[in-house]
Amino acid sequence: MDPVLLDIQNLDVSFVKPEKSAHALRGMDLTIESGEIHALVGESGSGKTVTSMGIMGLIPMPPGRINAGRIVFKGTDLTGLSQAKMRKIRGRQIGMVFQEPARYFNPSLKIGEQIVEMLMLHLGLDKKKAIDQALSFLDVAGMVRSRRVLNSYPHELSGGMKQRAMIAMAICCHPALLIADEPTTALDVTLQRQILQLIRDLKKQFDMGILFISHNLGIVREIADRISVIYAGRIVESAPLNAFFDHTRHPYTRALLRSIPSAKKRGQRLQAISGQVPDAENIPPGCSFHPRCRQAETVCRREMPPTISYGNGHQAACHMIDAHE
Ligand code: SF4
């Protein structure tokens, strides 16, 4: 069986309006295998959310437009599917966990009603079986007093409980792929650890592929098998966990590492990255990172760097890697 569950190839997405056009993804490549947590890391506005919307078939078209590329999930190109077919895949084969569960749940329905409805719709279970399965997945998600949670409205649960309930709902149909979009950002440190542990456990228990989206390399270090860094709609570096941290190649990744507390050596000052991610409506020519890059040379301002493979699954896109290694 092909271990590659999701294969995004050269995905190019724009949002086109009469007055302006934004180039959100510019030749995005990313693969996820079953049983792998692949972290997608980048600052706000780098293209992380558009990537997850693309996989879920939720890019509004228009103004969104897929200019090129494929999103191949279990051998099927999702970019060519109708919304009716995508509805059968969303929730059933691809689950999603969001940063803010309050926006995910319908506030006027009990948690149980929402999970049970999903199980009846996607798996065709009768109500009793769906209730049993909902209870067992609330248990899997580490919920104590699952039956009480089942009969609660979303606003009656704490932030951590809502997050666990959302995870239970996302995995209750045994999806092959789980997209976790900043799932711990709104939580305190203790809850963050518990949710990360839960996601690790779920990966093992269900052999799911997981796309873990985050702006925080410190968190990603705790959970990922592979990390890809996205900048201005393009992957600039991708590597298995150890190679990523031990042999970081791209100047942007190095700058990100210098800016996080967990990468800080004792006594070393953290350094913010100067400047901002370019607006998708106004991406600089050449290497889009060049206005912020300390190593930029003339070629960087003129030509987009190709993505080069360095062996053992490590890739990076930078003109100057050999020069400054
Ligand atoms: Fe910096 Fe040039 Fe590399 Fe871009 S291509 S990251 S500007 S050195």
Side-chain angles (χ1 to χ4, degrees):
M1 201 175 83
D2 186 354
V4 176
L5 184 63
L6 181 80
D7 187 6
I8 301 179
Q9 303 163 2
N10 191 33
L11 188 63
D12 193 290
V13 174
S14 298
F15 291 89
V16 182
K17 295 183 181 167
E19 67 282 11
K20 59 191 171 183
S21 165
H23 206 170
L25 294 181
R26 304 178 307 131
M28 164 94 180
D29 293 307
L30 187 130
T31 60
I32 301 178
E33 297 187 1
S34 297
E36 174 188 62
I37 299 181
H38 190 145
L40 180 62
V41 178
E43 295 170 273
S44 293
S46 56
K48 306 188 298 293
T49 299
V50 178
T51 303
S52 65
M53 285 166 69
I55 299 167
M56 297 292 275
L58 292 173
I59 293 176
M61 294 197 241
R65 192 167 72 192
I66 296 179
N67 304 311
R70 291 161 27 107
I71 303 172
V72 180
F73 173 67
K74 294 171 83 175
T76 300
D77 182 3
L78 301 183
T79 62
L81 291 190
S82 64
Q83 274 304 313
K85 285 191 174 151
M86 274 311 299
R87 272 194 290 279
K88 289 190 178 155
I89 291 177
R90 267 197 304 270
R92 170 67 188 90
Q93 297 198 55
I94 305 177
M96 185 142 185
V97 176
F98 300 88
Q99 180 179 337
E100 294 176 50
R103 288 171 60 182
Y104 176 72
F105 285 114
N106 181 336
S108 61
L109 291 177
K110 290 178 181 171
I111 296 287
E113 291 173 289
Q114 300 186 52
I115 301 180
V116 164
E117 185 186 307
M118 184 169 221
L119 287 163
M120 291 171 74
L121 175 75
H122 283 304
L123 300 188
L125 300 183
D126 63 36
K127 193 163 183 184
K128 184 179 175 315
K129 282 196 179 135
I131 289 173
D132 289 346
Q133 184 141 330
L135 281 169
S136 80
F137 273 91
L138 286 169
D139 286 343
V140 166
M143 201 73 90
V144 267
R145 297 198 206 98
S146 299
R147 195 165 287 278
R148 205 171 110 193
V149 171
L150 208 68
N151 288 314
S152 300
Y153 288 96
H155 72 269
E156 293 175 312
L157 303 183
S158 68
M161 288 169 85
K162 270 201 278 278
Q163 197 65 319
R164 287 182 189 278
M166 183 167 54
I167 290 172
M169 187 153 162
I171 61 168
C172 68
C173 296
H174 292 283
L177 174 68
L178 180 70
I179 301 175
D181 190 353
E182 304 268 9
T184 61
T185 301
L187 305 176
D188 66 39
V189 177
T190 309
L191 272 171
Q192 246 178 33
R193 288 223 177 90
Q194 291 173 5
I195 296 295
L196 290 178
Q197 185 59 48
L198 172 60
I199 291 173
R200 271 193 294 262
D201 292 346
L202 292 174
K203 176 193 85 160
K204 272 198 212 139
Q205 193 173 346
F206 299 108
D207 196 34
M208 276 187 296
I210 298 178
L211 176 62
F212 189 94
I213 296 175
S214 178
H215 66 280
N216 188 328
L217 271 175
I219 285 181
V220 156
R221 184 173 210 153
E222 304 283 313
I223 193 163
D225 299 305
R226 164 174 283 278
I227 301 173
S228 290
V229 175
I230 185 169
Y231 189 82
R234 196 171 173 231
I235 299 296
V236 296
E237 181 158 15
S238 180
L241 181 73
N242 290 340
F244 185 90
F245 285 101
D246 294 345
H247 305 288
T248 311
R249 291 177 184 270
H250 197 280
Y252 177 57
T253 313
R254 290 179 175 168
L256 281 178
L257 286 170
R258 284 194 296 269
S259 71
I260 59 167
S262 57
K264 176 178 171 262
K265 290 187 185 136
R266 188 167 288 178
Q268 184 186 349
R269 292 187 56 174
L270 296 181
Q271 296 170 32
I273 309 175
S274 63
Q276 291 182 333
V277 175
D279 194 328
E281 294 161 11
N282 198 11
I283 293 175
C287 172
S288 53
F289 186 56
H290 83 250
R292 308 171 75 186
C293 182
R294 295 174 184 177
Q295 282 95 19
E297 301 279 351
T298 305
V299 64
C300 305
R301 292 180 254 281
R302 291 191 183 144
E303 292 173 27
M304 186 187 281
T307 299
I308 308 281
S309 291
Y310 295 90
N312 299 323
H314 197 152
Q315 292 134 22
C318 169
H319 288 301
M320 309 303 287
I321 281 180
D322 290 330
H324 57 68
E325 271 190 335

